[in-house]
Every structure is written in C-alpha cells, then in structure tokens.
Amino acid sequence: MSADLAQAIRHDGHAFLPGAALRAGFDPAGQALSGAAWEDFAASWDDLRPDEYMADGGRYRLRRHAIFHAEAGGVVQRDPDGPHYQTLNNNPLNGGVQRRFAPVLPAVAESPALAALLSGARAAFEAAGQGARPWRIEMHQFRIEARPGTPGQPTPEGMHRDGVAFVLVALVRRHNVAGGATGIRVDGREGEGHFVLENPLDAVLLDDARVWHGVTPVLPLRDGEPGFRDVLVLTFV
C-alpha cells in the first residue's frame, strides 16, 4: 500500500485513497479504523470548539488542534500544546498570527484510530520522500457547519498550500450537505482536478511543495436543517 501511494505522490503530487482502501492499507487487522474504535474517534468531532480567528467574521468552523513529533524511525509522541502558525503567503486570510485552538482531548490523541492514521500516512510520506526522518506533525479536527442561507467554507482562503512537507486530509463524516469538492492544482501542469470526499475515511495525500488545494463551500441539502462536514487534517514537516 505505501509503495503504491508513494509512487502516486511522487508522480502526481497527490493521491486519492477511498475509505475502504485506506482501512485495508492502514489497518489490516481491522481493529482501529472500524467498529467501536472508529465510532468513538468519529464521535469526538461532536465536541469541537469555535475557531475565534476567522478574519472573514465567519462562525462556521469548529476545531481542535494537537502537535506531535517523532525521531527518525521512532514512535510518535505528543508535544505540549502550542500555537498554529501559517505565513500570509500560505494563508492570506488568517495567516501571520499565532493561533491557539482548543486542544485535542487526551483520549482522542491516544486512540488506536489516530495511531493507525499517523502510522499509515507517515509510512506513505517517508516512502514518497527520503525515507525515515524526524517529523513534526500537527493534527487538526475540523467541523464546517452549513446553515440555511449561510454556506460553510472549508477553505475560505481559497486555493492554497499549507507551508509543510506533506498533508493527509481524511473525511470523518458528512451530514446533510452538498458541495465540498476538493480542487487540486499541481505546479507545472495545466488544469485542475476535482473530486469529493464522500464516505468515511476517503482521503487525499498531498506533496504540499508541489500541490495547491482548496474545497468548495458546503450547503444544507434539506431546507431548514443544518449540516456539517467533518475532516481530519495531519500535516508533516
């Protein structure tokens, strides 16, 4: 699995991985990304906190954040909570400031689901890059809410890079929303690709140095009822 992913990332700058394939490759024993372990992990998105840094005044984004590190070939360990920072060049809307978000809860950070996702993504990125190396990893839990008449903006900054080495974006849940198409633009190639993360654990893995990405707004499918789009983002530096 990691070799195939690595080849796609090296050749195309990104790889789309359907949820079933991700489960098979990242959790071959079927114990971390299915059943109660996965349900508990996904349910933690119901306990996120408002993002207070939205320069557009939006109140549609909830999140939690954590920082991890790993020495070359070593285990992933959580670091003390700290700020998230992006330059204005990478995030012209909300960059240029140290942003502090509610921390990921300990049970979530220590969950077998997260361990499987961290391990699988790390293996793919190391195979696509220069092999085992030290990593600084940031984890972001996002919920984008869509209310009647008020779309949710997964990437209000537009097409962007995160300013890291590699990124994994995995869908956790979609409820009563339309839209949310991921756009991909690769440096040196014409055109833009589009796909939708529709099912749990549908994911895209990105070489951030080569790829721009963004997501279209989400709107409620049924009138009078809010919706949401939950994703996990893991960035590797």
Side-chain angles (χ1 to χ4, degrees), residues 83-129:
H84 172 59
Y85 181 81
Q86 291 174 294
T87 66
L88 282 168
N89 185 54
N90 287 316
N91 188 334
L93 179 67
N94 295 321
V97 296
Q98 301 277 354
R99 292 180 285 163
R100 292 184 178 271
F101 304 110
V104 171
L105 296 174
V108 179
E110 297 163 9
S111 68
L114 180 62
L117 289 161
L118 285 167
S119 177
R122 178 185 180 186
F125 294 146
E126 289 185 349

Side-chain angles (χ1 to χ4, degrees), residues 1-3 5-6 9 17 22-29 32-33 41 68-71 73-77 109 111-128 131-133 135 137-139 166 168 201 205 232 234-236:
M1 169 61 73
S2 292
L5 280 179
I9 295 166
L17 195 59
L22 186 146
R23 281 191 168 99
F26 286 20
D27 180 31
L33 297 176
F41 185 66
F68 301 84
H69 79 277
E71 298 303 322
V75 300
V76 177
Q77 297 180 318
S111 68
L114 180 62
L117 289 161
L118 285 167
S119 177
R122 178 185 180 186
F125 294 146
E126 289 185 349
R133 51 166 282 187
W135 292 107
I137 305 165
E138 292 194 40
M139 172 190 179
F166 296 100
L168 174 139
L201 285 171
L205 295 89
L232 169 72
L234 298 175
T235 65
F236 288 70

